[in-house]
Amino acid sequence: MLRIVTLAALLALPVPARACPAPSGADLRLHLASLNAQRAQSGQAPLAHAPDLGGVAQAHACDMARRNYFSHTSPDGRGMMARAQQAGLAGYCAMGENIAKGQPDVPSVMASWMRSPGHRRNILGGDFTHVGFGRAPGAHWVQLFAGRC
């Protein structure tokens, strides 16, 4: 009987969420350097890394990985602006988002985005001054761009 009670107690414990660590400092520096190299080649000013944007980007990457979807809009209908507002982001007048899935590393995902007209437009966008990055297991990538008011 004790064995059954113990098993029942174990089954009642909450299941921990899968770990979704933020990109390392080295990965963030590589991502920012790669992005700004593309901007420099096109005569655009470099973007500054913004941890607040990175937090929103990371949360979206983790959500896509955890709930197994790939979209700018979450299954509950929240898009980029709703996620930014929910996170309390303020002081930005322009925003854009790039997502990708499956690329194994920063050079691969940047090359993929640069081949896509819409993603390329965000990377080279003149209205943007800041960027944040997210990466989650399963190679879910998010870049969140914003321009200060």
Side-chain angles (χ1 to χ4, degrees):
M1 187 69 158
L2 179 60
R3 186 175 248 171
I4 293 171
V5 171
T6 304
L7 179 59
L10 287 174
L11 292 174
L13 293 175
V15 176
R18 278 190 291 179
C20 189
S24 70
D27 284 344
L28 290 175
R29 287 187 295 278
L30 176 61
H31 205 145
L32 185 62
S34 180
L35 178 122
N36 281 330
Q38 294 293 335
R39 290 180 61 83
Q41 289 176 7
S42 295
Q44 295 293 330
L47 298 183
H49 177 252
D52 57 346
L53 295 174
V56 175
Q58 182 66 21
H60 186 50
C62 292
D63 188 52
M64 286 191 294
R66 184 176 49 82
R67 296 203 282 173
N68 195 30
Y69 72 95
F70 178 68
S71 176
H72 292 282
T73 304
S74 65
D76 57 6
R78 290 180 309 126
M80 172 188 65
M81 293 304 292
R83 289 189 305 274
Q85 289 173 346
Q86 185 178 15
L89 292 185
Y92 296 111
C93 293
M95 293 191 83
E97 180 179 71
N98 287 352
I99 63 174
K101 182 179 178 185
Q103 294 82 356
D105 53 32
V106 170
S108 299
V109 75
M110 285 300 296
S112 177
W113 279 328
M114 290 304 290
R115 287 190 300 270
S116 163
H119 294 111
R120 181 182 181 91
R121 191 170 27 259
N122 280 343
I123 290 168
L124 303 179
D127 292 338
F128 299 135
T129 55
H130 291 78
V131 65
F133 307 107
R135 182 178 184 187
H140 292 80
W141 301 84
V142 179
Q143 289 178 319
L144 186 57
F145 301 91
R148 290 274 184 211
C149 298

